[in-house]
């Protein structure tokens, strides 16, 4: 098990809560951060109490003090939010789970940030952090419900190989998840954009499906 | 079963051959096309003889005369190739399985065509055809080997809903494949680019994995 605490900036939404629930189940102490610490405390109070680890609701500033920090804000506020926290995030592994998606009719469609991906946008404003991408394709409700029977693969990417491996190992400790390292930040836009395909499939088919890579043999 | 024959423009590569093998197994008469008809005949001669349906190796012009036409050329020749065949392709369902990928070190990475996707590029030069995207994430060798145990999902997209459904039904007749309709051409770039992630994962993990969407319930 990794030493240290895990913070989730902008973690009060369904995606952040789902990751928090499974990190706590793996035994970690998690801080869900929000612009409004009172709101974070309220959201955490409404979550199922973790049987292992812990989940606290605090400010984004407090979440950024953790040893590993996950960014789970909406895409259009991610850059400004992490930029304000860049000193706290320096030297740390920062995991982007941000997807730039917009609704068009009954679909979610990807938009392409100027750096090619949201992870690329965040890496640009966090030059002293070690940026890794993960947690993009997961169905949020199934993530938060530990009894949902989820058995999903999490594609991991980043330019710093040791950080990528730390994140991959962390994911493998989370129940219902298996990490699959894809490669470098060159793949970030493709991983993020595929989230739009996953969500659109679930809207169209009224399902909560998730990606499994068959034939990896582990 | 759908009436008619199926042509595969630029079908002599591993991806085209794999689709041809499984279409024939479903009972279809398939024409693999090439710029060089002699080369196509040679490639088909080296393939396992189909137990159902048929596979012939002819010119791209001949392949374009089929009732449904699949485009399987390399990405950088796809537009010029189909543009020259646009009269033969008018009024037909044209299936793009083209991905714009380039090798960078040990990864394949996506490049983004000016229309957002290769399917979008093809749709632009084939205004009288009904363009559908499919067959992007499949491991080619496993596709051609009918005994490989493949059980993969094929994401289908396109703006014409009836054509999308024809292609989805066709895929469901092919052994080892299940179609999953994602939505419109707005998702084309995301589906195509994710192929780079799939291939990079397989290079890195020395595997032949493929995408399965768990939890779709059919």
């Amino acid at each position: 098990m990794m030493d240290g605490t895990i913070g989730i900036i902008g973690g009060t939404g369904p995606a952040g809560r789902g990751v928090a629930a499974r990190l706590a189940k793996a035994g970690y102490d998690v801080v869900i951060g929000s612009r409004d610490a009172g709101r974070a405390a309220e959201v955490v109070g409404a979550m199922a109490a973790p049987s292992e680890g812990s989940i606290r609701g605090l400010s984004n500033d407090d979440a950024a003090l953790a040893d590993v920090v996950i960014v789970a804000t909406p895409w259009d506020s991610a850059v400004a939010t992490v930029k304000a926290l860049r000193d706290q995030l320096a030297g740390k592994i920062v995991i982007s789970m941000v997807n730039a998606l917009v609704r068009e009719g009954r679909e979610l469609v990807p938009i392409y940030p100027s750096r090619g991906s949201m992870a690329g946008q965040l890496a640009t404003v966090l030059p002293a952090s070690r940026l890794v991408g993960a947690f993009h394709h997961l169905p949020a409700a199934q993530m938060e419900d530990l009894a949902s029977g989820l058995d999903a693969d999490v594609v991991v990417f980043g330019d710093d190989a040791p950080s990528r491996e730390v994140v991959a190992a962390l994911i493998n400790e989370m129940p219902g998840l298996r990490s699959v390292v894809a490669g470098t930040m060159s793949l970030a836009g493709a991983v993020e954009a595929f989230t739009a395909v996953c969500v659109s499939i679930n809207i169209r088919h009224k399902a909560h499906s998730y990606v499994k890579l068959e034939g990896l043999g582990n």
Side-chain angles (χ1 to χ4, degrees), chain A:
Chain A
M1 204 174 147
M2 187 188 78
D3 280 337
T5 58
I6 301 171
I8 308 180
I9 294 173
T12 55
R17 294 199 308 268
V19 169
R22 286 178 191 255
L23 283 168
K25 186 70 183 171
Y28 287 98
D29 294 317
V30 180
V31 173
I32 286 183
S34 170
R35 279 173 303 181
D36 174 353
R39 163 90 184 130
E42 193 182 304
V43 164
V44 170
M47 290 176 69
S51 60
E52 276 82 35
S54 67
I55 306 177
R56 287 180 299 156
L58 298 169
S59 67
N60 279 335
D61 279 66
D62 287 321
L65 295 174
D67 297 290
V68 166
V69 179
I70 300 169
V71 183
T73 65
W75 69 271
D76 50 358
S77 59
V79 168
T81 302
V82 304
K83 200 170 181 179
L85 300 167
R86 83 173 109 184
D87 293 339
Q88 294 97 308
L89 298 176
K92 293 179 186 172
I93 293 175
V94 173
I95 305 172
S96 172
M97 54 186 290
V98 185
N99 303 297
L101 309 181
V102 294
R103 184 112 192 179
E104 276 185 11
R106 65 192 289 209
E107 293 177 347
L108 249 69
V109 302
I111 57 174
Y112 292 94
S114 54
R115 302 277 174 174
S117 66
M118 287 307 304
Q121 305 287 105
L122 300 189
T124 303
V125 295
L126 297 175
S129 301
R130 289 172 285 152
L131 211 109
V132 174
F135 301 122
H136 294 89
H137 305 147
L138 300 168
Q142 275 63 23
M143 278 288 285
E144 189 173 349
D145 175 8
L146 295 174
S148 65
L150 187 75
D151 176 26
D153 281 347
V154 178
V155 177
V156 178
F157 59 84
D159 284 344
D160 183 54
S163 301
R164 229 163 43 198
E165 294 305 324
V166 167
V167 173
L170 180 66
I171 290 165
N172 287 336
E173 295 177 69
M174 297 167 73
L177 301 183
R178 176 179 72 164
S179 62
V180 179
V181 173
T184 70
M185 289 283 285
S186 291
L187 298 168
V191 174
E192 294 177 8
F194 196 67
T195 311
V197 179
C198 297
V199 178
S200 295
I201 285 171
N202 284 340
I203 294 171
R204 174 174 296 273
H205 298 273
K206 297 181 176 60
H208 301 281
S209 72
Y210 47 85
V211 173
K212 192 79 194 165
L213 291 159
E214 297 293 338
L216 272 186
N218 60 343

